[in-house]
Amino acid sequence: MKALGSSGWKGPVKFRMPTAENLVPIRLDIQSEGQRYKDAFTWNPSDPDNEVVVFAKRTVKDLKLPSAFITQIAQSIQSQLSDFRAFEGQDMYTGEKIIPIKLDLRVNHTLIKDQFLWDLNNFESDPEEFARTLCKDLGVEDPEVGPAVAFAIREQLYEIAIQSVASARESRLSKKGRRGSDHGSASKASGLSMDLVKLFSFKSSVVRKRKDLDVYEPVVDLLTSEEVDALEAREERHAR
Amino acid sequence: MAAKDPDSGGSGEILPITPSLSETTSGVTAASQATQPPSSSSDVDTVYVPSYSRWFTWTGIDDCEVRSLPEFFNSKSTSKNPKFYMYLRNSIIKQYRDDHPRKISFTDVRRTLVSDVVSIRRVFYFLEYWGLINHSSSSSAKPLKWDEKSAGDASSEPPTTAKETAKRICNGCKSICSVACFVCDKYELTLCARCYVRGNYRVGINSTEFKRVELSEESKKVWSEKETLQLMEAVMHYGDDWKKVATHVTGRTEKDCVSQFVKLPFGEQFVKESDSEDSLEAFDQIKGSADLESGGSDKEGSSPNKRLRLTPLADASNPIMAQAAFLSALAGTKVAEAAARAAVTALSDVDYEAEKNATGDPNRQDANANSGGEITNSERDWADAKSLIQKEEQEVEGAIKEIVEVEMRKVRDRIVHFEKLDLEMERSRKQLEDMKNLLFTDQLNIFFHTRKARKSEDRVDVKT
């Protein structure tokens, strides 16, 4: 891990999740024999591969799914893991990126909407701890919300990490000889990131502008069963 | 006392979690609780924790946890630390106890904990293994109506059974005392030799207060009527399972039960009649013991009962061999031979299969199996395809040859035609040359003639 602190250009870093634990978000959506199994959780890619089958078997047993699901679940997890591992040897440029992370998820009866800034360069960041603290602070009673929040954050970080690998590769191909300042500009131009210098210069203040206040505030809604049913029906219609 | 692995720790009896949780050193309460039947079916609120998991506390981490789940304690990663482990463990146990007596599944747990799922799975398995969650307080065997009655009998007469079992079961390590035991009458304690030597008793007791009691000369030989009756009942219900028989017959080891049973006047008859039955059971049991052997040594020291099953025929050092020898003696030589042979072949099959499964993926295995069966088909198809390809090649070659020939002929005809033209040209040129020559000679002739004529003219002119 590189030492943080220098402003401007950072050297390329080997691809990994920009968090303390290098965990992969895994999403499952399997349909077979008239049953649909949707799930999302985080996986540690350094665990031995037999864990995948063990997990699949245990999940099928616990949820009483037909045993055809075991191989499908295992295959899906394996393919997502191998996608992740395919990225692992490559370089990524993280640059000076502070990105907004958005949460917009519904878990059972709880609806969470939130937006906050996340430092992509901080390789010690911990989405799990953030999720735990968020649920505790907001007084969320449903224990299934925490993992969903952590998963959503990880997914977005994963997407951005992949994009930075792709952009690093592009910039390397297009500008073979030139290095240095170009990368900084490339990352800044990516659009999502915010310019630290502009944000924290002495002309502007650190305090957020009033119009941004309610965008960055977490909102927790507790829905009734009818609302949940209505939302689910709408989602299914969208999916079709 | 360090926490022992559940498999090696004695009888693994159940202790209810109440404030009066007995320490190992308080002998009386332990003895009485040991013989209490697990009446948990009526008591839903009490959660039962097995005695080998007594080390568990909400706020502490025991050695066995560090041993079994080292990933949280080796500081290799910043977030997998003991605090995180305690969060996982305490959440899982709390979730289980909130919903007790319903069993909690791994998927329930992993959906509610913020962590990667494999760490959760390891902690979950660890807790299940140690009986801290999903521990069924009833014993594994389904109770028969007759068993319940006997359990009722046992509960109705705790004092006598306590006294009798106190003779046999050591209060310190809860194992059956063999050769000698030490009795302290003052506090009604019974310790086996090992515990006595180790000093495994309460603090206030002095070692001098123990009296050595030789078990070998105890009332082994004299079987009371009640004991005989129990023995007969047990054999009738459990048949050849001498372990269960011994537990039913209070105060007698298995060896005693068997020898007494054989000594009974009609015992011989029983043994002879049920020989065929015995042989099957012996086969099963030998196979079972052989499987145990192949399955690993984790069951070997599981209960001291095995150690006591000595027979005069067998070397007592290996408990499993002792059991096998005892059973074979029971069944007869021919039957035992047949059973052993069958067991060995079954074992080798099991080993072979285990090897096959161990060496390859099941997927690869299936592929191999499939391909082996179809190998002749595919070879044939391959040969057919090859011959077809060759035929086509030949056809193509022939066609190309024809085309080439035709082209060549065309070219040749054209050449011939041009040659003819050439010849014509030559002829006409020659003709032209000839005519030119003729013309030239004609011109010459004319010139000579005219010269001659002029000359003759000149002469004529001169003459006149």
Side-chain angles (χ1 to χ4, degrees), chain A residues 20-21 23 37-39 41-44 47-48 51 54-55 58-59 62-63 124 126 128 131-132 143-144 146-147 150, chain B residues 71 77-80 84 87 95 104-108 110-119 121-122 124-125 128 134:
Chain A
E21 285 285 318
L23 302 178
Y37 166 61
K38 274 187 77 146
D39 210 345
F41 47 85
T42 41
W43 190 275
N44 190 341
D47 279 325
E51 291 279 352
V54 168
F55 175 82
R58 192 70 200 235
T59 307
D62 289 340
L63 297 174
E124 303 274 358
D126 196 348
E128 274 76 34
R132 267 180 257 140
E144 295 194 18
Chain B
E71 51 183 325
S77 68
T78 47
S79 40
K80 272 197 179 177
F84 178 63
Y87 157 72
Q95 212 173 333
I104 195 175
S105 81
F106 164 66
T107 306
D108 293 337
R110 69 109 168 136
R111 282 206 168 138
T112 60
L113 290 180
V114 186
S115 155
D116 68 295
V117 292
V118 184
S119 310
R121 185 197 73 76
R122 291 210 193 101
F124 183 85
Y125 274 33
E128 206 175 30
N134 292 347

Coordinates of all heavy atoms in Angstrom, one line a residue, chain A residues 20-21 23 37-39 41-44 47-48 51 54-55 58-59 62-63 124 126 128 131-132 143-144 146-147 150, chain B residues 71 77-80 84 87 95 104-108 110-119 121-122 124-125 128 134:
Chain A
A20 N -10.3 -1.3 3.6 CA -9.3 -2.0 4.4 C -9.4 -3.5 4.1 O -8.3 -4.2 4.0 CB -9.7 -1.8 5.9
E21 N -10.6 -4.1 4.0 CA -10.7 -5.5 3.7 C -11.0 -5.6 2.2 O -11.9 -5.0 1.7 CB -11.8 -6.1 4.5 CG -11.6 -6.3 5.9 CD -10.7 -7.5 6.1 OE1 -10.9 -8.6 5.5 OE2 -9.8 -7.4 6.9
L23 N -12.8 -7.1 0.0 CA -14.0 -7.9 -0.1 C -14.7 -7.6 -1.4 O -14.8 -6.5 -1.8 CB -14.9 -7.8 1.1 CG -14.3 -8.0 2.5 CD1 -15.3 -7.8 3.5 CD2 -13.8 -9.5 2.6
Y37 N -34.4 -16.8 -6.7 CA -33.6 -16.5 -5.5 C -32.7 -15.3 -5.8 O -31.9 -15.3 -6.6 CB -32.7 -17.8 -5.2 CG -31.6 -17.5 -4.2 CD1 -31.9 -17.1 -2.9 CD2 -30.3 -17.7 -4.6 CE1 -30.8 -16.9 -2.0 CE2 -29.2 -17.5 -3.7 CZ -29.5 -17.0 -2.4 OH -28.5 -16.8 -1.6
K38 N -33.0 -14.3 -5.0 CA -32.2 -13.0 -5.1 C -31.4 -12.8 -3.8 O -32.0 -12.9 -2.7 CB -33.1 -11.8 -5.3 CG -33.5 -11.6 -6.8 CD -34.3 -10.3 -6.9 CE -33.3 -9.2 -6.9 NZ -33.7 -8.1 -7.7
D39 N -30.2 -12.5 -4.0 CA -29.4 -12.2 -2.8 C -28.2 -11.3 -3.1 O -27.8 -11.2 -4.2 CB -28.9 -13.6 -2.2 CG -28.8 -13.5 -0.7 OD1 -28.8 -12.4 -0.1 OD2 -28.7 -14.6 0.0
F41 N -24.4 -10.2 -1.0 CA -23.5 -10.3 0.2 C -22.1 -10.0 -0.2 O -21.8 -9.9 -1.4 CB -23.7 -11.7 0.8 CG -23.5 -12.8 -0.2 CD1 -22.3 -13.3 -0.5 CD2 -24.6 -13.4 -0.7 CE1 -22.1 -14.3 -1.4 CE2 -24.5 -14.4 -1.6 CZ -23.2 -14.9 -2.0
T42 N -21.2 -10.0 0.7 CA -19.8 -9.7 0.4 C -19.0 -11.0 0.7 O -19.3 -11.7 1.6 CB -19.2 -8.6 1.3 OG1 -19.7 -8.8 2.6 CG2 -19.7 -7.2 0.8
W43 N -18.0 -11.1 -0.1 CA -17.2 -12.3 -0.1 C -15.7 -12.0 0.0 O -15.3 -11.0 -0.7 CB -17.4 -13.1 -1.4 CG -16.9 -14.5 -1.4 CD1 -15.6 -14.9 -1.7 CD2 -17.5 -15.7 -1.0 NE1 -15.4 -16.2 -1.6 CE2 -16.6 -16.7 -1.1 CE3 -18.8 -16.0 -0.5 CZ2 -16.9 -18.1 -0.8 CZ3 -19.1 -17.3 -0.2 CH2 -18.2 -18.3 -0.3
N44 N -14.9 -12.7 0.7 CA -13.5 -12.5 0.8 C -12.8 -13.4 -0.3 O -12.8 -14.6 -0.2 CB -13.0 -12.9 2.2 CG -11.6 -12.4 2.4 OD1 -10.8 -12.2 1.4 ND2 -11.2 -12.3 3.6
D47 N -10.4 -16.5 0.4 CA -10.9 -17.7 1.0 C -10.7 -18.8 0.0 O -10.8 -18.6 -1.2 CB -12.4 -17.6 1.4 CG -12.5 -16.8 2.7 OD1 -11.6 -17.0 3.6 OD2 -13.5 -16.1 2.9
P48 N -10.5 -20.0 0.5 CA -10.4 -21.2 -0.4 C -11.6 -21.4 -1.2 O -12.7 -21.1 -0.8 CB -10.1 -22.4 0.5 CG -10.6 -21.9 1.8 CD -10.4 -20.5 1.9
E51 N -15.0 -23.2 -0.2 CA -16.0 -22.4 0.6 C -17.3 -22.1 -0.2 O -18.4 -22.0 0.3 CB -15.4 -21.1 1.1 CG -14.4 -21.3 2.2 CD -14.9 -21.6 3.5 OE1 -16.2 -21.4 3.7 OE2 -14.2 -21.9 4.4
V54 N -19.6 -25.0 -0.2 CA -20.1 -25.2 1.2 C -21.2 -24.1 1.4 O -22.3 -24.5 1.9 CB -19.0 -25.0 2.2 CG1 -19.5 -24.9 3.6 CG2 -18.0 -26.2 2.1
F55 N -20.9 -22.9 1.0 CA -21.9 -21.8 1.2 C -23.2 -22.1 0.4 O -24.3 -22.0 0.9 CB -21.3 -20.5 0.8 CG -22.2 -19.4 0.8 CD1 -22.5 -18.7 2.0 CD2 -22.9 -19.0 -0.4 CE1 -23.4 -17.7 2.0 CE2 -23.7 -17.9 -0.3 CZ -24.0 -17.2 0.8
R58 N -25.2 -24.9 2.0 CA -25.8 -24.5 3.3 C -27.0 -23.5 3.0 O -28.0 -23.6 3.7 CB -24.7 -23.7 4.1 CG -25.2 -23.5 5.5 CD -25.2 -24.8 6.3 NE -26.1 -24.6 7.5 CZ -25.7 -24.9 8.7 NH1 -24.5 -25.4 8.9 NH2 -26.5 -24.7 9.7
T59 N -26.8 -22.6 2.0 CA -27.9 -21.7 1.7 C -29.1 -22.4 1.2 O -30.2 -22.2 1.6 CB -27.4 -20.7 0.7 OG1 -26.2 -20.1 1.2 CG2 -28.4 -19.6 0.5
D62 N -30.7 -24.2 4.0 CA -31.5 -23.3 5.0 C -32.7 -22.7 4.3 O -33.7 -22.6 5.0 CB -30.5 -22.1 5.4 CG -29.4 -22.6 6.3 OD1 -29.6 -23.6 6.9 OD2 -28.4 -21.8 6.4
L63 N -32.7 -22.4 3.1 CA -33.8 -21.8 2.4 C -34.7 -22.8 1.8 O -35.7 -22.4 1.2 CB -33.4 -20.8 1.4 CG -32.6 -19.6 1.9 CD1 -32.0 -18.8 0.7 CD2 -33.4 -18.7 2.8
E124 N -7.8 2.5 3.9 CA -8.2 1.9 5.2 C -9.7 2.0 5.5 O -10.1 1.8 6.6 CB -7.4 2.7 6.3 CG -5.9 2.7 6.1 CD -5.3 1.5 6.7 OE1 -6.0 0.7 7.3 OE2 -4.1 1.3 6.6
D126 N -13.6 1.5 5.7 CA -14.3 0.2 6.0 C -15.8 0.4 5.8 O -16.5 1.0 6.7 CB -14.0 -0.1 7.5 CG -14.4 -1.5 7.8 OD1 -15.1 -2.2 7.0 OD2 -14.0 -2.0 8.9
E128 N -18.1 -1.7 6.1 CA -18.9 -2.5 7.1 C -19.1 -1.7 8.3 O -20.2 -1.6 8.9 CB -18.2 -3.8 7.4 CG -18.5 -4.9 6.4 CD -17.8 -4.8 5.1 OE1 -16.7 -4.3 5.1 OE2 -18.4 -5.1 4.1
A131 N -21.5 1.0 7.8 CA -22.9 0.5 7.7 C -23.4 0.3 9.2 O -24.6 0.6 9.5 CB -23.0 -0.7 6.9
R132 N -22.6 -0.3 10.0 CA -23.0 -0.6 11.3 C -23.3 0.6 12.1 O -24.3 0.7 12.8 CB -21.9 -1.4 12.1 CG -22.0 -2.9 12.0 CD -20.9 -3.6 12.7 NE -20.0 -4.2 11.7 CZ -18.7 -4.2 11.9 NH1 -18.2 -3.6 12.9 NH2 -17.9 -4.7 11.0
P143 N -32.2 -5.8 11.4 CA -30.8 -6.1 11.3 C -30.3 -6.4 9.9 O -29.2 -6.5 9.6 CB -30.6 -7.3 12.2 CG -31.9 -8.0 12.2 CD -32.9 -6.9 12.1
E144 N -31.3 -6.6 8.9 CA -30.8 -6.9 7.6 C -30.4 -5.7 6.8 O -29.9 -5.8 5.7 CB -32.0 -7.6 6.8 CG -32.3 -9.0 7.4 CD -33.1 -9.8 6.5 OE1 -33.2 -9.5 5.3 OE2 -33.7 -10.8 7.0
G146 N -28.1 -3.4 7.7 CA -26.7 -3.1 7.7 C -26.0 -3.8 6.6 O -25.3 -3.1 5.8
P147 N -26.1 -5.1 6.4 CA -25.4 -5.7 5.3 C -25.8 -5.2 3.9 O -24.9 -5.0 3.0 CB -25.8 -7.2 5.4 CG -26.3 -7.4 6.8 CD -26.8 -6.1 7.2
A150 N -23.8 -1.9 3.5 CA -22.4 -2.2 3.2 C -22.2 -2.7 1.8 O -21.3 -2.3 1.1 CB -21.9 -3.2 4.2
Chain B
E71 N -7.9 -16.8 12.6 CA -7.9 -15.6 11.7 C -8.2 -14.3 12.4 O -7.9 -13.3 11.9 CB -8.9 -15.9 10.6 CG -10.3 -16.3 11.1 CD -11.3 -16.6 10.0 OE1 -11.2 -16.0 9.0 OE2 -12.1 -17.5 10.3
S77 N -5.1 -8.7 9.6 CA -5.9 -7.7 8.9 C -6.5 -6.8 10.0 O -6.8 -7.3 11.1 CB -7.0 -8.3 8.1 OG -7.9 -9.0 8.9
T78 N -6.7 -5.6 9.6 CA -7.1 -4.6 10.7 C -8.5 -4.8 11.1 O -8.8 -4.5 12.3 CB -6.9 -3.2 10.2 OG1 -7.5 -3.1 8.9 CG2 -5.5 -2.8 10.1
S79 N -9.4 -5.3 10.3 CA -10.8 -5.3 10.7 C -11.1 -6.7 11.3 O -12.1 -6.9 12.0 CB -11.7 -5.0 9.6 OG -11.2 -5.6 8.4
K80 N -10.3 -7.7 11.1 CA -10.6 -9.0 11.7 C -9.8 -9.0 13.0 O -8.8 -9.7 13.2 CB -10.0 -10.1 10.8 CG -11.0 -10.6 9.7 CD -10.6 -11.9 9.1 CE -11.6 -12.3 8.1 NZ -11.2 -13.5 7.5
F84 N -14.2 -7.5 16.6 CA -15.1 -7.9 15.5 C -15.6 -9.3 15.8 O -16.8 -9.6 15.6 CB -14.3 -7.8 14.2 CG -15.1 -8.2 13.0 CD1 -16.2 -7.5 12.6 CD2 -14.7 -9.3 12.2 CE1 -16.9 -7.9 11.5 CE2 -15.4 -9.7 11.1 CZ -16.5 -9.0 10.8
Y87 N -18.2 -9.3 18.3 CA -19.5 -8.8 17.7 C -20.2 -9.9 17.0 O -21.4 -10.1 17.2 CB -19.2 -7.6 16.8 CG -20.2 -7.4 15.7 CD1 -21.4 -6.8 16.0 CD2 -20.0 -7.7 14.4 CE1 -22.4 -6.5 15.1 CE2 -20.9 -7.4 13.4 CZ -22.1 -6.8 13.7 OH -23.0 -6.6 12.8
Q95 N -29.0 -13.9 18.9 CA -30.1 -14.1 17.9 C -30.7 -15.5 18.2 O -31.9 -15.7 18.1 CB -29.6 -14.0 16.5 CG -30.6 -13.5 15.5 CD -29.9 -13.3 14.2 OE1 -28.7 -13.0 14.1 NE2 -30.7 -13.4 13.2
I104 N -31.6 -22.0 14.8 CA -31.2 -20.8 13.9 C -30.4 -21.4 12.7 O -29.6 -22.2 12.9 CB -30.4 -19.8 14.7 CG1 -30.4 -18.5 14.0 CG2 -29.0 -20.2 15.0 CD1 -29.8 -17.4 14.8
S105 N -30.7 -20.8 11.6 CA -29.9 -21.3 10.4 C -28.8 -20.3 10.0 O -28.9 -19.1 10.4 CB -30.8 -21.5 9.2 OG -31.1 -20.3 8.6
F106 N -27.9 -20.8 9.3 CA -26.7 -19.9 8.9 C -27.2 -18.8 8.1 O -26.7 -17.6 8.2 CB -25.7 -20.8 8.2 CG -24.7 -19.9 7.4 CD1 -23.8 -19.2 8.1 CD2 -24.7 -19.9 6.0 CE1 -22.9 -18.4 7.4 CE2 -23.8 -19.2 5.3 CZ -22.9 -18.4 6.0
T107 N -28.2 -19.0 7.2 CA -28.6 -17.9 6.3 C -29.3 -16.8 7.1 O -29.2 -15.7 6.8 CB -29.6 -18.5 5.3 OG1 -28.9 -19.6 4.6 CG2 -29.9 -17.5 4.3
D108 N -30.1 -17.2 8.1 CA -30.7 -16.2 9.0 C -29.6 -15.3 9.5 O -29.8 -14.1 9.5 CB -31.4 -16.8 10.2 CG -32.6 -17.6 9.8 OD1 -33.1 -17.4 8.7 OD2 -33.0 -18.5 10.5
R110 N -26.4 -14.8 8.6 CA -25.5 -14.1 7.7 C -26.2 -12.9 7.1 O -25.6 -12.0 6.6 CB -24.8 -14.9 6.7 CG -25.7 -15.5 5.6 CD -25.4 -14.9 4.3 NE -26.1 -15.7 3.3 CZ -26.8 -15.2 2.3 NH1 -26.9 -13.9 2.1 NH2 -27.3 -16.0 1.4
R111 N -27.6 -13.0 7.0 CA -28.3 -11.8 6.5 C -28.3 -10.7 7.4 O -28.6 -9.6 7.0 CB -29.7 -12.3 6.2 CG -29.8 -13.1 4.9 CD -31.1 -13.0 4.3 NE -31.1 -13.5 2.9 CZ -32.0 -14.3 2.4 NH1 -33.1 -14.6 3.2 NH2 -31.9 -14.8 1.2
T112 N -28.1 -10.9 8.7 CA -28.2 -9.8 9.6 C -26.9 -9.3 10.1 O -26.9 -8.4 10.9 CB -29.0 -10.3 10.8 OG1 -28.3 -11.4 11.4 CG2 -30.4 -10.8 10.4
L113 N -25.8 -9.9 9.7 CA -24.5 -9.4 10.2 C -23.7 -8.7 9.1 O -23.7 -9.2 8.0 CB -23.7 -10.6 10.7 CG -24.3 -11.2 12.0 CD1 -23.4 -12.3 12.5 CD2 -24.3 -10.1 13.1
V114 N -23.1 -7.6 9.5 CA -22.4 -6.9 8.5 C -21.0 -7.4 8.4 O -20.1 -7.1 9.2 CB -22.3 -5.4 8.9 CG1 -21.7 -4.6 7.8 CG2 -23.7 -4.9 9.2
S115 N -20.7 -8.3 7.5 CA -19.4 -8.9 7.4 C -19.3 -9.7 6.2 O -20.3 -9.9 5.5 CB -19.1 -9.8 8.6 OG -18.2 -10.7 8.4
D116 N -18.1 -10.2 5.8 CA -18.1 -11.1 4.7 C -18.6 -12.5 5.2 O -18.4 -12.9 6.3 CB -16.7 -11.2 4.1 CG -15.7 -11.9 5.0 OD1 -15.5 -11.3 6.1 OD2 -15.2 -13.0 4.7
V117 N -19.3 -13.2 4.3 CA -20.1 -14.3 4.7 C -19.2 -15.5 5.2 O -19.7 -16.3 6.0 CB -21.0 -14.8 3.6 CG1 -22.0 -13.7 3.4 CG2 -20.3 -15.1 2.4
V118 N -18.0 -15.6 4.7 CA -17.2 -16.8 5.1 C -16.8 -16.7 6.6 O -16.8 -17.7 7.3 CB -16.0 -17.0 4.2 CG1 -15.3 -18.2 4.5 CG2 -16.5 -17.0 2.8
S119 N -16.4 -15.5 7.0 CA -16.1 -15.3 8.5 C -17.3 -15.7 9.3 O -17.2 -16.4 10.3 CB -15.7 -13.9 8.8 OG -14.7 -13.5 7.9
R121 N -19.7 -17.7 8.5 CA -19.9 -19.2 8.5 C -18.9 -19.9 9.5 O -19.4 -20.8 10.2 CB -19.6 -19.7 7.1 CG -20.0 -21.1 6.9 CD -19.4 -21.7 5.7 NE -17.9 -21.9 5.7 CZ -17.4 -22.8 6.4 NH1 -18.1 -23.7 7.1 NH2 -16.1 -22.9 6.4
R122 N -17.7 -19.4 9.5 CA -16.7 -20.1 10.4 C -17.1 -19.9 11.9 O -17.1 -20.9 12.6 CB -15.3 -19.5 10.2 CG -14.8 -19.9 8.9 CD -13.3 -20.1 8.8 NE -12.9 -20.1 7.5 CZ -12.3 -19.1 6.8 NH1 -12.1 -18.0 7.4 NH2 -12.0 -19.2 5.6
F124 N -20.1 -19.4 13.0 CA -21.4 -20.1 13.2 C -21.1 -21.6 13.4 O -21.6 -22.2 14.3 CB -22.2 -19.9 11.9 CG -23.6 -20.5 12.0 CD1 -24.6 -19.9 12.6 CD2 -23.8 -21.8 11.5 CE1 -25.9 -20.5 12.7 CE2 -25.0 -22.4 11.6 CZ -26.1 -21.7 12.2
Y125 N -20.2 -22.2 12.5 CA -19.9 -23.6 12.6 C -19.3 -23.9 14.0 O -19.5 -24.9 14.6 CB -19.0 -24.0 11.5 CG -19.8 -24.4 10.2 CD1 -20.9 -23.8 9.9 CD2 -19.3 -25.4 9.4 CE1 -21.6 -24.2 8.7 CE2 -20.0 -25.8 8.3 CZ -21.1 -25.2 7.9 OH -21.8 -25.5 6.8
E128 N -21.8 -23.8 16.7 CA -22.7 -25.0 16.6 C -22.0 -26.2 17.1 O -22.6 -27.1 17.8 CB -23.2 -25.2 15.1 CG -24.5 -25.9 15.0 CD -24.9 -25.9 13.6 OE1 -24.1 -25.9 12.7 OE2 -26.2 -25.9 13.4
N134 N -28.0 -23.9 18.6 CA -28.7 -25.1 18.0 C -28.4 -26.4 18.8 O -28.2 -27.5 18.2 CB -28.3 -25.3 16.6 CG -28.8 -24.2 15.7 OD1 -29.7 -23.5 16.1 ND2 -28.3 -24.1 14.5

